[in-house]
């Protein structure tokens, strides 16, 4: 394993994996606690619209997709304020329209799009220095927001009515969580792609929920687990010449299955 670190692309992949593991652990905890997994799924698949825009107009993929997903998040948040009964319809529409829009733009883009499959299933070994700078910026932004608003977001996550009575702007923090989750989804595209991104956001949190009793410990445990799964997935990917994204997800899924079986036997 140590000899792999001599390659620059492995170094970039390892650094990116660690950064993304921390971000997805923090945001994924909020996503699971607030029961936003389906919402995040809608944002993840609609992100293909941002990828299509980046391809067609020659824009930076991460920046274009981030802006597109933020707009989708705000749209879903506004829709959920006004009419929660039809929220699932709204998510389904953004999911389908976003992907369709992105695919059409990709088809209209001249030339062969070699990176198209990597957006769907991830390509951690293709991370560039520019990607690392963006990921590092997002990591600092995410940690800063969580530190400053931790108590408010915690109150909103567990009891919206109580938080509202305390004068906390619940709609603002609900939207903020959605925006942060959309940004986490965008950078996770580099690791596991659009298809598997929800697994990256939820599996480590699911495992840590068996052992942790509060939100902070769940974040820390999930981050450590994600780092381990990422390193293991990278090793499997390199050794067997398979995709890094599915390797990470399969590793984490098998571990989650073992934990579930052990816990079930103990009960």
């Amino acid at each position: 394993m140590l000899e792999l670190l001599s390659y620059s692309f492995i170094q970039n992949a390892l650094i990116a994996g660690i950064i993304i593991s921390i971000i997805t652990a923090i945001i994924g905890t909020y996503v699971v606690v607030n029961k936003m997994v389906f919402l995040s799924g809608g944002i993840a698949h609609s992100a293909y619209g941002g990828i299509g825009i980046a391809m067609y107009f020659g824009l930076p993929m991460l920046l274009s997709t981030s802006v597109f997903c933020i707009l989708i998040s705000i749209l879903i948040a506004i829709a959920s304020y006004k009419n929660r009964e039809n929220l699932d319809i709204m998510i389904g529409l953004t999911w389908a329209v976003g992907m369709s829009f992105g695919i059409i733009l990709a088809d209209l883009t001249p030339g062969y799009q070699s990176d198209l499959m990597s957006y769907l299933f991830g390509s951690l070994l293709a991370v560039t220095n520019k990607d690392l700078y963006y990921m590092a910026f997002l990591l600092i932004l995410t940690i800063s927001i969580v530190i400053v608003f931790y108590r408010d977001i915690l109150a909103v996550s567990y009891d919206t009515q109580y938080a509202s009575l305390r004068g906390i702007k619940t709609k603002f923090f609900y939207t903020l969580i959605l925006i942060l989750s959309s940004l986490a989804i965008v950078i996770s595209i580099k690791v596991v792609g659009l298809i598997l991104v929800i697994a990256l956001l939820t599996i480590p949190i699911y495992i840590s929920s068996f052992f942790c009793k509060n939100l902070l410990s769940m974040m820390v445990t999930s981050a450590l687990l994600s780092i381990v799964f990422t390193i293991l997935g990278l090793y499997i990917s390199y050794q067997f010449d398979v995709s890094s994204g599915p390797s990470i997800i399969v590793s984490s899924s098998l571990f989650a299955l073992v934990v579930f079986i052990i816990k079930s036997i103990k009960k």
Side-chain angles (χ1 to χ4, degrees), residues 14-213:
L14 187 59
I15 294 170
I18 292 172
I19 292 174
I20 292 172
S21 294
I22 298 171
I23 294 175
T24 53
I26 295 171
I27 304 304
T29 303
Y30 286 127
V31 167
V32 172
V33 170
N34 284 278
K35 298 179 180 179
M36 291 180 174
V37 176
F38 186 52
L39 284 171
S40 300
I43 295 171
H45 287 80
S46 64
Y48 208 93
I51 294 172
I53 292 172
M55 286 182 176
Y56 188 77
F57 294 101
L59 301 173
M61 193 279 290
L62 286 177
L63 179 61
S64 174
T65 312
S66 296
V67 173
F68 187 83
C69 286
I70 288 173
L71 294 175
I72 292 294
S73 300
I74 294 172
L75 182 65
I76 290 176
I78 292 172
S80 64
Y81 299 154
K82 295 182 177 180
N83 195 351
R84 284 185 176 270
E85 290 77 14
N86 294 326
L87 181 59
D88 56 339
I89 299 175
M90 182 67 184
I91 296 169
L93 283 172
T94 55
W95 183 319
V97 173
M99 286 205 73
S100 301
F101 180 63
I103 291 170
I104 289 173
L105 287 179
D107 289 340
L108 292 174
T109 303
Y112 174 68
Q113 300 300 328
S114 59
D115 291 335
L116 199 58
M117 289 300 292
S118 69
Y119 297 138
L120 290 175
F121 299 103
S123 182
L124 186 53
L125 296 177
V127 171
T128 64
N129 289 330
K130 288 183 179 180
D131 294 334
L132 289 178
Y133 295 145
Y134 182 84
M135 292 173 187
F137 167 75
L138 186 55
L139 175 63
I140 294 170
L141 177 66
T142 302
I143 293 175
S144 300
I145 290 174
V146 170
I147 291 174
V148 173
F149 299 114
Y150 179 76
R151 291 184 179 275
D152 293 330
I153 297 177
L154 184 67
V156 172
S157 298
Y158 282 105
D159 195 333
T160 306
Q161 291 182 340
Y162 172 71
S164 182
L165 290 172
R166 284 186 54 195
I168 297 173
K169 298 178 180 179
T170 55
K171 291 182 179 180
F172 168 77
F173 286 108
Y174 180 80
T175 307
L176 181 63
I177 293 170
L178 272 180
I179 290 173
L180 289 176
S181 66
S182 69
L183 293 175
I185 286 167
V186 169
I187 63 163
S188 298
I189 291 172
K190 277 288 182 180
V191 181
V192 295
L194 295 174
I195 305 299
L196 303 174
V197 66
I198 298 305
L200 186 67
L201 279 170
T202 54
I203 292 175
I205 287 82
Y206 170 75
I207 297 171
S208 63
S209 65
F210 286 109
F211 310 102
C212 304
K213 295 182 179 180

Side-chain angles (χ1 to χ4, degrees), residues 205-226:
I205 287 82
Y206 170 75
I207 297 171
S208 63
S209 65
F210 286 109
F211 310 102
C212 304
K213 295 182 179 180
N214 58 68
L215 205 66
L216 184 59
S217 63
M218 193 180 294
M219 289 179 184
V220 174
T221 304
S222 300
L224 294 174
L225 288 171
S226 294

